[in-house]
Amino acid sequence: MSESYELIMDSTNKIFKHYCTKELLDRAENGHWPQELWDVLAEAGIISIGFSEQAGGVGGDYIDAYNILKLAGKYGVPVPLAETLIGKWLFAEVGGQVGDIPLTLALQNDSNFSFVDEGDGYTLGGSASAVPWARYMEQILICGDLNGKQVAALVPLAHAEIREENNIAAEPRDSVIFSQVKIDGLTVYQVDSVLISEKSLYYLALAKAAMMAGAAERVMELSLFYANERQQFGRSLHRFQGIQHHIASLAGETVACITAVNTAVQALQDGQYKTEIPLAKMKVSAASGKIAMAAHQLHGAIGMTYEHSLHHLTRRLWSWRDESGNESYWGSVLAKSLIEKNSPTLWEVLTDEQNLLIVD
Amino acid sequence: MIKLELPVVKFSQDQKDFRATIRSFLQNERLAGTFESKCDSWLSGDSIEFSRKLGQKGWIGMTWPQEYGGGERSAIERYILTEELLAAGAPVAAHWFADRQTGPLFLKYGSEEQKQFFLPQIAKGECFFSIGLSEPNAGSDLAAIRTKAERTDGGWLINGSKIWTSGAHISHYMIVLCRTSPYDQNQRHAGMSQLIVDMKEKGVTVRPIQFLTGEHHFNEVFFENVFVPDNRLIGTEGNGWKQGMAELAYERSGPERILSTYPLLEEMIHILRENEDEAGLKETIALLPDLWTLRNMSMGVAKYLEEGQDVNMIAALVKDLGTVFETNVAEKARLIISRIPSMSSNDRLSRLMAQSILHGPGFTLRGGTTEILRGIVAKGVVAQ
């Protein structure tokens, strides 16, 4: 964590709190792009944290960045902050620079982009699905094949066909299709596509986990407020033992989510994350369903209405737990590696921070 | 805003080396046949010889000041030791309570004479304690205890009884929570004190209570005019409730609330790897995120405890989640690898399954039931 950590968190919290009101979230899921919020975040350097100034960032480390994402999850921030941050880090690693525009990315192996060199530009074909916020973005970071070599490029989305789709939190998850279009003036960067794809997946998985932990914190705050305020049978809800068990479960799972994320973020900061990030994403994904249901049960009918703000958080929990690998996906990854003959034992993995040999 | 964050613990190279030392000691002991790895070994696996061996190595009371026979090591080093012992299923029950909570109790509230007399013996692994809390009519409602100590020449006379006292039959002393003033309905937590009872004293009767497996680890203990000298009162007369509650943070957040069924999990993974059963491994791995998270939570609490922070609520929270996890391991195991669980089977996995299932009811009862813990957590977060 950087020296100015407290200051960064405090000012980020203030910005999110001021802008990300229920009204803004309602409008965002009905087709509004909150440019003003983006400009404020860009101005404050929040979209460029976690990498050096030489590379176009504002400094800070992964601990700063992921704690900002935790806050973003808490307020349901309706812009691609995780995608922009991670896109910028990865693009900076291969030598590119992005600037202050919002960014989305599709670097995973399952996309199938291919470039053809035309001398003064490239022809690009291929598609990717569930691309966050693509409809509002000017550029997308992708990687693909160029004459048998793997390259990455920041491509203008004006050349793409975009099919609008949403996750269950009504966040844009669009299909992006490039139909052999010629794009002039494009710069491509040679990359290790396996590595960049893997990093993108792991970083995004941890981002989703951090955002879910933040959302869980907010769900808990709303639940505590309601359990205090709401009276039934002449008493506040929190006086009933049954309700206390929901509160204890919410508190327990929330602390667990935060601990899982903090541990994995520290591991990433220390350059080691291949076991920790899958474990954190699995833990938080599994907890998020419990958290959402306990909060709804506690809130009763009012929590199911569009008017209440609980759904902005619970629908995000239900969406994000399946994005960037759910429990089953990451469970398979860990099982595959644990079955390798020369893998460390379970206890060694847990206690010696020994990475499993992740195989694809 | 609620403080829901725990510190992330990182190990130094020295601490990693210490772990390796413990691990090779345990490996040698196991190979020499000193013990067999068991589930729930911290409560039901006692070996006086093994405890003495740990004492000789300086592995009891290792965080205590050297002047009292301790090792002045950090809470994190003690955490490493305890989790290695539990993961190996080593027989540590005999000294467990003295090391975990009686030592810290003496250090916080004990007189100089008590510290000098008891702590070095405990650290050598030669002096075991049990904790006398529950009574036949006071379980979760601990403030309902009736065992009383009355003033007599040079000390106290205790009358009453304690129940579910683990290890009373092998311990040298018991810390008895009792009433030193009459019960007052309006001030239920007042008037209690902690007295050290010598188990050899006249008037102490220990009656075994068979556990549902037939094993013997808990007891009913009767006190009939048992004399306790003045210098065996811990802390302040009437302050027993508060002193006892402070101990609970040590009791609730440790690795023994997570790892009681760990030997079963390790054996399952071992078998599934041997069989190259990827599907079974995947199912088993679904347990791992909880274990990994709980361990990091528990270490965070250990760090907070060392810093002197109030961890009452968070310790209750960790115990609730940890003990639910422990029972979950046993429930998942039987569906992933089919075996007939049996305490007497020749098959290791069958035995570990049987131990985990049969000891299971205790996990979420002992040291504060799940219901009590959830009440503490809920009240804690509502109040904040």
Side-chain angles (χ1 to χ4, degrees):
Chain A
M1 126 186 10
S2 65
E3 281 171 22
S4 45
Y5 174 80
E6 299 290 340
L7 193 72
I8 297 168
M9 291 309 134
D10 190 49
S11 58
T12 307
N13 192 57
K14 279 188 184 131
I15 293 171
F16 287 164
K17 197 172 181 176
H18 178 74
Y19 286 94
C20 301
T21 57
K22 167 117 174 54
E23 291 67 38
L24 184 82
L25 296 192
D26 288 351
R27 285 175 62 209
E29 65 179 56
N30 288 298
H32 167 75
W33 164 254
Q35 185 63 40
E36 195 191 350
L37 168 64
W38 187 267
D39 292 342
V40 172
L41 295 177
E43 175 71 19
I46 290 166
I47 60 162
S48 305
I49 211 151
F51 64 121
S52 73
E53 285 171 41
Q54 297 93 297
V58 297
D61 58 15
Y62 290 129
I63 298 178
D64 298 333
Y66 277 98
N67 276 294
I68 285 174
L69 290 173
K70 224 190 266 170
L71 283 175
K74 182 170 178 178
Y75 291 99
V77 174
V79 293
L81 188 54
E83 290 77 10
T84 300
L85 285 170
I86 292 166
K88 283 184 167 207
W89 301 342
L90 295 174
F91 201 46
E93 275 182 30
V94 300
Q97 282 213 9
V98 178
D100 276 349
I101 55 157
L103 183 67
T104 191
L105 70 175
L107 295 170
Q108 252 97 81
N109 269 340
D110 53 5
S111 48
N112 55 351
F113 295 107
S114 66
F115 296 83
V116 177
D117 193 346
E118 308 283 1
D120 56 347
Y122 296 87
T123 298
L124 172 60
S127 65
S129 59
V131 179
W133 310 91
R135 73 190 69 158
Y136 300 124
M137 299 296 105
E138 285 171 35
Q139 310 210 57
I140 183 169
L141 180 62
I142 58 172
C143 62
D145 175 84
L146 171 67
N147 280 333
K149 287 185 183 135
Q150 293 297 315
V151 293
L154 195 59
V155 180
L157 276 162
H159 298 277
E161 180 199 339
I162 297 196
R163 295 195 189 138
E164 297 192 0
E165 284 158 53
N166 296 330
N167 66 15
I168 56 178
E171 292 180 312
R173 295 292 185 263
D174 301 328
S175 290
V176 172
I177 302 141
F178 289 97
S179 311
Q180 305 303 330
V181 284
K182 171 123 186 292
I183 306 171
D184 295 333
L186 197 63
T187 313
V188 300
Y189 300 81
Q190 200 168 327
V191 292
D192 176 345
S193 70
V194 174
L195 186 67
I196 199 169
S197 160
E198 183 189 277
K199 278 190 176 175
S200 157
L201 175 62
Y202 279 77
Y203 291 1
L204 280 169
L206 185 54
K208 290 285 149 61
M211 289 157 72
M212 283 191 278
E217 223 178 285
R218 180 79 185 125
V219 164
M220 173 143 169
E221 284 177 14
L222 290 175
S223 302
L224 286 178
F225 176 79
Y226 189 73
N228 260 314
E229 181 202 57
R230 174 76 169 166
Q231 304 262 327
Q232 288 285 275
F233 305 100
R235 291 192 285 169
S236 293
L237 284 190
H238 73 80
R239 303 261 173 222
F240 295 90
Q241 195 179 29
I243 299 289
Q244 287 176 0
H245 286 199
H246 288 314
I247 294 173
S249 165
L250 282 168
E253 294 298 342
T254 303
V255 177
C257 287
I258 294 170
T259 306
V261 168
N262 288 351
T263 309
V265 171
Q266 182 66 54
L268 174 61
Q269 184 62 36
D270 296 341
Q272 176 182 5
Y273 56 86
K274 286 206 179 172
T275 311
E276 283 81 357
I277 290 179
L279 287 170
K281 181 62 166 68
M282 288 170 81
K283 171 63 213 175
V284 179
S285 293
S288 60
K290 290 187 209 170
I291 289 168
M293 285 314 286
H296 275 291
Q297 189 67 22
L298 185 147
H299 274 84
I302 192 72
M304 299 190 290
T305 62
Y306 197 82
E307 188 192 340
H308 198 277
S309 45
L310 182 62
H311 69 91
H312 278 305
L313 297 149
T314 53
R315 285 189 298 138
R316 279 172 172 75
L317 289 174
W318 286 320
S319 296
W320 296 341
R321 64 180 175 172
D322 287 316
E323 296 180 349
S324 304
N326 64 10
E327 302 92 298
S328 179
Y329 173 84
W330 288 112
S332 294
V333 171
L334 293 182
K336 274 205 185 71
S337 46
L338 202 54
I339 211 157
E340 294 290 303
K341 283 274 174 292
N342 47 354
S343 281
T345 66
L346 175 62
W347 190 242
E348 286 167 342
V349 171
L350 278 170
T351 57
D352 301 348
E353 298 125 34
Q354 287 227 27
N355 268 323
L356 288 163
L357 311 159
I358 302 287
V359 285
D360 291 315
Chain B
M1 182 45 214
I2 312 139
K3 186 75 186 158
L4 295 173
E5 275 194 83
L6 287 161
V8 176
V9 171
K10 286 170 69 176
F11 298 112
S12 66
Q13 191 53 48
D14 276 359
Q15 290 169 336
K16 289 177 186 172
D17 294 345
F18 179 52
R19 186 188 292 282
T21 308
I22 304 162
R23 208 170 275 175
S24 79
F25 164 78
L26 288 170
Q27 181 66 7
N28 290 338
E29 290 293 311
R30 223 176 339 194
L31 289 175
T34 315
F35 70 91
E36 186 205 311
S37 178
K38 275 169 78 175
C39 285
D40 202 21
S41 65
W42 66 273
L43 198 74
S44 55
D46 57 72
S47 159
I48 289 164
E49 300 74 41
F50 192 77
S51 288
R52 200 154 290 169
K53 232 178 235 179
L54 293 184
Q56 281 160 6
K57 294 197 82 70
W59 291 351
I60 299 176
M62 58 182 286
T63 61
W64 310 344
Q66 286 184 1
E67 56 174 316
Y68 304 123
E72 293 188 8
R73 312 282 289 261
S74 71
I76 297 305
E77 277 157 316
R78 181 176 178 274
Y79 194 97
I80 292 169
L81 173 72
T82 51
E83 73 171 357
E84 287 293 327
L85 290 167
L86 294 167
V92 291
H95 69 275
W96 196 258
F97 305 106
D99 178 63
R100 176 179 74 188
Q101 63 199 94
T102 311
L105 177 75
F106 279 129
L107 286 170
K108 189 157 184 205
Y109 294 107
S111 68
E112 190 53 39
E113 183 270 331
Q114 287 168 354
K115 285 190 264 195
Q116 286 186 13
F117 181 75
F118 288 109
L119 293 177
Q121 298 184 58
I122 295 175
K124 278 187 197 148
E126 291 172 359
C127 176
F128 308 138
F129 274 75
S130 50
I131 315 291
L133 295 173
S134 291
E135 295 181 7
N137 292 314
S140 284
D141 180 13
L142 188 61
I145 59 160
R146 287 292 194 277
T147 294
K148 61 179 180 185
E150 288 170 307
R151 275 280 172 205
T152 184
D153 253 7
W156 309 79
L157 281 181
I158 299 191
N159 281 286
S161 68
K162 292 289 171 184
I163 197 166
W164 319 128
T165 315
S166 299
H169 58 299
I170 52 167
S171 58
H172 304 90
Y173 299 93
M174 182 193 282
I175 309 281
V176 178
L177 184 70
C178 57
R179 297 210 160 271
T180 40
S181 304
Y183 180 79
D184 176 354
Q185 182 60 46
N186 297 319
Q187 283 192 53
R188 303 181 72 229
H189 299 147
M192 288 186 231
S193 303
Q194 290 178 302
L195 295 177
I196 307 161
V197 171
D198 185 335
M199 298 300 277
K200 294 187 302 294
E201 193 66 46
K202 201 167 136 261
V204 177
T205 312
V206 178
R207 187 179 73 83
I209 303 174
Q210 270 196 331
F211 188 58
L212 55 80
T213 52
E215 294 162 292
H216 171 209
H217 54 79
F218 52 41
N219 304 275
E220 189 163 16
V221 183
F222 301 92
F223 308 99
E224 199 178 342
N225 289 322
V226 176
F227 178 71
V228 178
D230 274 332
N231 65 353
R232 290 294 169 259
L233 167 75
I234 303 178
T236 314
E237 184 184 336
N239 197 36
W241 180 266
K242 191 174 155 241
Q243 293 172 195
M245 289 300 113
E247 270 177 69
L248 292 179
Y250 292 95
E251 187 176 335
R252 286 179 174 159
S253 62
E256 68 267 43
R257 306 302 184 176
I258 301 167
L259 296 175
S260 297
T261 52
Y262 183 78
L264 170 61
L265 184 60
E266 175 98 41
E267 180 70 4
M268 277 170 73
I269 290 191
H270 173 71
I271 290 171
L272 293 165
R273 279 173 79 160
E274 294 270 290
N275 298 344
E276 297 183 18
D277 181 349
E278 200 175 309
L281 263 181
K282 188 183 163 187
E283 279 187 77
T284 310
I285 276 172
L287 292 162
L288 221 52
D290 275 335
L291 174 57
W292 173 77
T293 305
L294 283 161
R295 175 171 177 267
N296 283 297
M297 292 167 79
S298 171
M299 289 192 296
V301 179
K303 186 119 179 75
Y304 267 168
L305 261 175
E306 188 168 47
E307 292 167 3
Q309 306 225 27
D310 175 11
V311 295
N312 184 33
M313 191 272 275
I314 202 97
L317 182 153
V318 173
K319 182 187 179 275
D320 176 20
L321 293 180
T323 54
V324 168
F325 167 77
E326 289 178 329
T327 54
N328 203 15
V329 172
E331 291 306 298
K332 287 273 159 54
R334 53 179 277 277
L335 300 177
I336 296 170
I337 306 181
S338 287
R339 285 284 199 287
I340 304 297
S342 162
M343 294 292 269
S344 59
S345 172
N346 289 325
D347 175 57
R348 208 172 120 72
L349 186 71
S350 302
R351 288 198 304 277
L352 291 169
M353 276 182 174
Q355 292 157 9
S356 300
I357 293 165
L358 294 174
H359 286 251
F363 303 162
T364 46
L365 291 175
R366 62 196 185 196
T369 68
T370 301
E371 290 72 16
I372 291 291
L373 299 172
R374 290 184 183 166
I376 292 170
V377 173
K379 282 172 195 147
V381 292
V382 168
Q384 273 172 345

